[in-house]
Amino acid sequence: VRFDRRLGSGRTKPCIIFAETEEHEEVELVLKLAAGCEFRGLVCEAFASLLADDLDLPVPQACLVEITDEFARTVPDREVAANIRKSCGFNFGSRKLSPQFSTWPVGRPIPLALRPMAAEVLAFDGLLQNPDRRWNNPNCLVRGDELAIFDHDLAFSFLAGIIGGRQPWEPGGLDFLAANANRHVFFDGLQGTPVNFDRFLGAFESIDRRRLSEYSNAIPQQWRNGTDATGRIVAYIEQLKEHLAEAIAEVARVLV
């Protein structure tokens, strides 16, 4: 219902908007437009956010945001307005976090209280083949002892062949987490330290086929046009669950 501003100069050109929920509550959202990351990216965002929420990882609430041409005509920023006009229909949004959250600083040591969550975030990114939470592009916010993770349009990167053909449960399948130039934001702080993934493993095991169907049913038909991402992601998660213990062992191996 109301445009606020651009949010930085990221590849997907996110912006801040105010939207009205079905309960007529006005909420502030970070909006990712289909014109900025394509429908495949929106599907990846949705699946990763829903899964992270079920795993009790610190992800902002995900939203489907319906954009109309009428709204586009109210946007004063011409470039953004043009992208919005190309993105009419459903787009991906997430609740904007408190301004007290700030970007995870480069090279910051991981406080003891945050180590368990940081380890689970690294495991999550490994299992979802997300190479985009790097030391120099953290896609992670912090406020005291709280983390918040975001930006998952490059998750399930097997869809685009970004990180090679090995699966996370195969030897070397998670080496991208430790790759020097693009290593994970939490790799340096966790390497060589004891980690326990029992809670994370149990939470992941509870994601059953019924829940995956609910994820799939939440994807708008508009996003499915021209991409088989939804079906491939569901099939991937089902296969991952069959090899979950091996995948977690591979995470632990990378961190040795």
Side-chain angles (χ1 to χ4, degrees), residues 168-170 174 201 240-252:
W169 53 87
E170 296 175 348
L174 296 180
L201 183 62
L240 173 62
K241 288 199 61 185
E242 294 175 2
H243 299 277
L244 201 52
E246 298 102 301
I248 292 296
E250 186 64 13
V251 175

Side-chain angles (χ1 to χ4, degrees), residues 184-245:
H184 193 274
V185 62
F186 295 135
F187 175 77
D188 289 348
L190 293 171
Q191 187 182 25
T193 65
V195 291
N196 187 319
F197 293 111
D198 289 349
R199 190 213 70 83
F200 180 78
L201 183 62
F204 215 119
E205 287 175 340
S206 71
I207 307 296
D208 57 17
R209 287 190 173 182
R210 178 180 176 183
R211 189 59 175 150
L212 290 176
S213 293
E214 291 174 343
Y215 294 172
S216 182
N217 292 337
I219 303 299
Q221 183 59 46
Q222 179 190 11
W223 295 5
R224 300 171 187 261
N225 294 335
T227 176
D228 58 355
T230 298
R232 291 179 66 189
I233 289 173
V234 169
Y236 172 79
I237 296 175
E238 289 180 339
Q239 189 179 17
L240 173 62
K241 288 199 61 185
E242 294 175 2
H243 299 277
L244 201 52

Side-chain angles (χ1 to χ4, degrees), residues 53-75:
D53 190 53
D54 278 351
L55 295 175
D56 289 325
L57 297 179
V59 62
Q61 181 186 8
C63 308
L64 283 175
V65 184
E66 187 173 15
I67 295 294
T68 64
D69 188 61
E70 180 183 12
F71 170 71
R73 290 196 296 268
T74 70
V75 177

Side-chain angles (χ1 to χ4, degrees), residues 2 16-17 21 31 48-49 54 57 70 77 83 98 120 134 140 145 243:
R2 184 155 47 93
I16 304 295
I17 63 159
T21 69
L31 176 68
S49 294
D54 278 351
L57 297 179
E70 180 183 12
D77 185 315
N83 278 334
S98 159
E120 291 187 2
R134 308 185 306 274
C140 179
D145 290 338
H243 299 277

Side-chain angles (χ1 to χ4, degrees), residues 44-207:
C44 294
E45 283 278 13
F47 266 92
S49 294
L50 292 169
L51 183 58
D53 190 53
D54 278 351
L55 295 175
D56 289 325
L57 297 179
V59 62
Q61 181 186 8
C63 308
L64 283 175
V65 184
E66 187 173 15
I67 295 294
T68 64
D69 188 61
E70 180 183 12
F71 170 71
R73 290 196 296 268
T74 70
V75 177
D77 185 315
R78 291 186 177 183
E79 183 180 355
V80 174
N83 278 334
I84 288 178
R85 282 194 296 272
K86 296 174 186 175
S87 306
C88 286
F90 286 110
N91 294 263
F92 180 83
S94 56
R95 293 280 188 130
K96 186 177 181 299
L97 297 172
S98 159
Q100 282 77 37
F101 277 92
S102 59
T103 301
W104 183 271
V106 173
R108 175 184 175 173
I110 304 173
L112 189 62
L114 286 178
R115 284 181 178 273
M117 183 59 73
E120 291 187 2
V121 168
L122 181 141
F124 175 76
D125 289 328
L127 271 54
L128 267 62
Q129 294 191 344
N130 175 28
D132 201 30
R133 205 176 328 276
R134 308 185 306 274
W135 68 275
N136 57 352
N137 181 45
N139 288 331
C140 179
L141 302 178
V142 62
R143 180 180 67 178
D145 290 338
E146 294 180 79
L147 293 177
I149 58 174
F150 59 94
D151 209 351
H152 297 102
D153 62 291
L154 293 183
F156 307 106
S157 59
F158 62 87
L159 295 171
I162 295 175
I163 57 174
R166 285 179 292 186
Q167 303 286 16
W169 53 87
E170 296 175 348
L174 296 180
D175 285 354
F176 73 92
L177 295 172
N180 187 47
N182 296 306
R183 63 192 180 279
H184 193 274
V185 62
F186 295 135
F187 175 77
D188 289 348
L190 293 171
Q191 187 182 25
T193 65
V195 291
N196 187 319
F197 293 111
D198 289 349
R199 190 213 70 83
F200 180 78
L201 183 62
F204 215 119
E205 287 175 340
S206 71
I207 307 296

